[in-house]
Amino acid sequence: MIDIKSLGYVRVESTDLEQWRQFAGKVLGLVEWRGTDPEHLYFRMDEVSQRLVVEPGQQDRLAAMGWEVADHRALSAAVDHLKHHGVDLHEATPEELTERRVEGMVRFEDPFENVFELFHGATYESRPLVTPYANRFVTGEQGLGHIVVPVTDDEEALRFYAEVLGFRLRDSMRMPGELVGKEPGSTAWLRFLGCNPRHHSLAFLPMPNPSKCVHIMVEVEELDDVGRALERVRKHGARLSATLGRHMNDQMVSFYVKSPGGFDVEYGTEGLTVDDEKWVARESTAVSYWGHDFSVGAH
């Protein structure tokens, strides 16, 4: 089994890098940082050299998500495990390793053409991070946050992510199958999966999505930081996708904003952490305890 530690980075393709520079810096409060490719944008949110990378592309979408393992032995074991399960792998070139600032990396696709990168040995910086609005992100062993990806088969997704990649089921939510093209009366499942104390680092929605991502979540330490970010959404003309609310499964107090990549960014605080030795996976019966009105994003 693969021992994934956390979501380490996300890479985005963009037709307009300046939009991302404004959104990531002015709205999210990330810090633009130096990188090896002058045509890319690199952003920090903690001591790690790069958490978000935006590269020029023909369309706006998620390009890849990077998942961190402990060291070269863990990556080697993961490669053997993936090959055993028939997964096609691409080993990173020296140029790719240099650009990502990691020691080792392999790339592969899940059964739904979502691009995963497993890596180890990321660089971190000596200079302390001072964000534009003094907001501090919750990262460390929990990684940069969580990501929700689109799939076409919820049963196959759970099998692949849990049995092949080693994620642990933390929570489930059912939705009417007809919403995702299944026969009337059937059920489609949203599953929330973890790999560290963060309630979930990976989740999936059984519905196609041209941006290759449903949303990415970043977490800050203080509720006031969420409120200030919500004000910046309005100030900078970003499009709100969901109002402030508290989720039922991970208890996150958050709002959603549309990114230039076409997918949402969830910006939250007070996320639940769990102990796998004691955790019991259950089915939540609502998205949120309160708030999170997604109808605002339809206007």
Side-chain angles (χ1 to χ4, degrees), residues 152-184:
T152 54
D153 184 331
D154 47 323
E155 293 180 9
E156 172 61 14
L158 180 60
R159 183 202 68 81
F160 185 81
Y161 298 149
E163 296 180 17
V164 178
L165 298 188
F167 287 95
R168 300 180 287 281
L169 181 65
R170 296 277 171 75
D171 199 81
S172 300
M173 188 181 301
R174 72 175 75 210
M175 57 191 291
E178 50 264 39
L179 288 180
V180 296
K182 290 189 172 185
E183 61 274 11

Side-chain angles (χ1 to χ4, degrees), residues 170-224:
R170 296 277 171 75
D171 199 81
S172 300
M173 188 181 301
R174 72 175 75 210
M175 57 191 291
E178 50 264 39
L179 288 180
V180 296
K182 290 189 172 185
E183 61 274 11
S186 64
T187 295
W189 287 97
L190 283 70
R191 307 283 189 180
F192 302 85
L193 306 135
C195 58
N196 57 48
R198 191 182 293 280
H199 176 273
H200 60 277
S201 296
L202 174 67
F204 60 80
L205 183 69
M207 193 178 293
N209 184 319
S211 63
K212 302 298 291 179
C213 180
V214 180
H215 75 255
I216 293 167
M217 187 282 300
V218 295
E219 183 177 1
V220 287
E221 291 184 350
E222 303 290 340
L223 180 60
D224 284 346

Side-chain angles (χ1 to χ4, degrees), residues 115-184:
V115 180
F116 284 70
E117 296 182 352
L118 290 183
F119 72 92
H120 79 91
T123 62
Y124 60 103
E125 301 292 332
S126 61
R127 187 183 301 177
L129 187 70
V130 180
T131 61
Y133 309 105
N135 49 316
R136 293 173 58 89
F137 291 95
V138 178
T139 56
E141 66 174 340
Q142 297 188 47
L144 77 83
H146 74 234
I147 188 166
V148 184
V149 296
V151 301
T152 54
D153 184 331
D154 47 323
E155 293 180 9
E156 172 61 14
L158 180 60
R159 183 202 68 81
F160 185 81
Y161 298 149
E163 296 180 17
V164 178
L165 298 188
F167 287 95
R168 300 180 287 281
L169 181 65
R170 296 277 171 75
D171 199 81
S172 300
M173 188 181 301
R174 72 175 75 210
M175 57 191 291
E178 50 264 39
L179 288 180
V180 296
K182 290 189 172 185
E183 61 274 11

Side-chain angles (χ1 to χ4, degrees), residues 90-101 105 107:
H90 164 81
E91 189 166 344
T93 64
E95 292 77 16
E96 287 172 331
L97 295 178
T98 298
E99 194 273 332
R100 283 160 177 76
R101 302 190 69 181
M105 187 270 281
R107 182 187 306 115

